[in-house]
Amino acid sequence: MASTTKITVKPRSYAKILLHAAKYPHCKVDGLLIGKLSNNGRDALATDAVPLFHLGHGLTPMLEMALSQIEAYAESQKSSIVGYYQANEQLSESHTPDAFAIKIADKILSCNKFCSLIMVDNRKVSLSCKNDALVCYANAEGKWKQDTQYSLEHSEETLSTLAKLMTNKAYKNLNDFDNHLDDISADWTNVKVNKLIAEAH
């Protein structure tokens, strides 16, 4: 089953993915993209990103709980889960999806009938934020292949916004599900970070 043929990532989604990676530069980090579908479910607009883990990769009960809560949250926003993102911990690993990333993307695809797999190219991550650091993969005939249809909305402005956020260390305010499991008051919807992104835009 094919996933979306095109995904467009909005500034908030992009910023939160890179802020998550910046907060835990020596860890593998991952999360989900939520957004809206168009073109009969073939295209997606990723309006937000929800950071999942920096420690708990592969722990099924935690993942299942997170997926359930995020799916309910997406529905409350009249959206759905449209993708999965991951940044590998090793620079040399670059943007190659590992077995875990493929497993989660397959799971989302089987449940939602669409999913984009987004990888962070660590070689393009810097404080200056001059280059789009995301690489998108789409499922074609059961295999995940690099997708040239991916686009970053307002790319120059978005990269400039992220540079401001990095300089101001906005990533210190970002919470993922690992943080939430340690402290129930840690807001994984990241309302505070969303506000910082809007102010920097």
Side-chain angles (χ1 to χ4, degrees):
M1 178 127 357
S3 68
T4 54
T5 57
K6 179 181 179 180
I7 187 165
T8 301
V9 175
K10 290 186 73 67
R12 178 195 286 185
S13 304
Y14 184 84
K16 287 166 84 170
I17 292 171
L18 273 295
L19 290 174
H20 195 198
K23 185 173 182 178
Y24 302 104
H26 303 299
C27 298
K28 178 190 297 182
V29 301
D30 65 352
L32 298 176
L33 294 170
I34 63 174
K36 301 183 183 299
L37 295 170
S38 60
N39 191 20
N40 295 318
R42 294 177 59 82
D43 297 339
L45 178 65
T47 56
D48 203 355
V50 180
L52 282 175
F53 305 116
H54 63 276
L55 294 173
H57 301 280
L59 299 179
T60 303
M62 292 167 60
L63 178 61
E64 292 291 346
M65 179 178 69
L67 284 171
S68 177
Q69 290 190 37
I70 294 168
E71 189 168 30
Y73 171 72
E75 289 177 0
S76 76
Q77 304 296 306
K78 294 181 169 52
S79 298
S80 58
I81 297 173
V82 298
Y84 170 81
Y85 76 81
Q86 180 177 292
N88 290 325
E89 66 267 40
Q90 300 294 330
L91 181 65
S92 59
E93 288 182 279
S94 186
H95 55 75
T96 304
D98 61 13
F100 182 76
I102 291 171
K103 180 180 179 181
I104 301 306
D106 282 342
K107 179 178 177 61
I108 295 170
L109 184 61
S110 67
C111 294
N112 294 2
K113 306 297 184 286
F114 50 80
C115 179
S116 288
L117 172 53
I118 303 276
M119 298 296 296
V120 176
D121 185 344
N122 295 330
R123 297 169 300 183
K124 294 183 178 179
V125 177
S126 67
L127 287 176
S128 62
C129 306
K130 291 183 177 179
N131 299 299
D132 181 354
L134 301 187
V135 180
C136 179
Y137 292 81
N139 191 286
E141 299 178 351
K143 294 185 178 181
W144 292 93
K145 300 178 180 179
Q146 195 164 328
D147 184 6
T148 58
Q149 296 299 309
Y150 153 77
S151 65
L152 175 62
E153 187 178 81
H154 308 308
S155 58
E156 288 188 15
E157 187 177 348
T158 298
L159 294 173
S160 176
T161 296
L162 180 61
K164 295 176 190 174
L165 293 165
M166 290 290 196
T167 299
N168 295 330
K169 299 182 178 179
Y171 49 82
K172 290 185 175 182
N173 297 286
L174 185 121
N175 294 309
D176 62 15
F177 251 86
D178 275 331
N179 301 134
H180 180 70
L181 292 169
D182 286 338
D183 176 3
I184 197 76
S185 68
D187 172 28
W188 55 263
T189 66
N190 288 292
V191 171
K192 184 175 182 179
V193 173
N194 292 345
K195 184 178 180 181
L196 292 173
I197 294 169
E199 291 172 347
H201 197 59

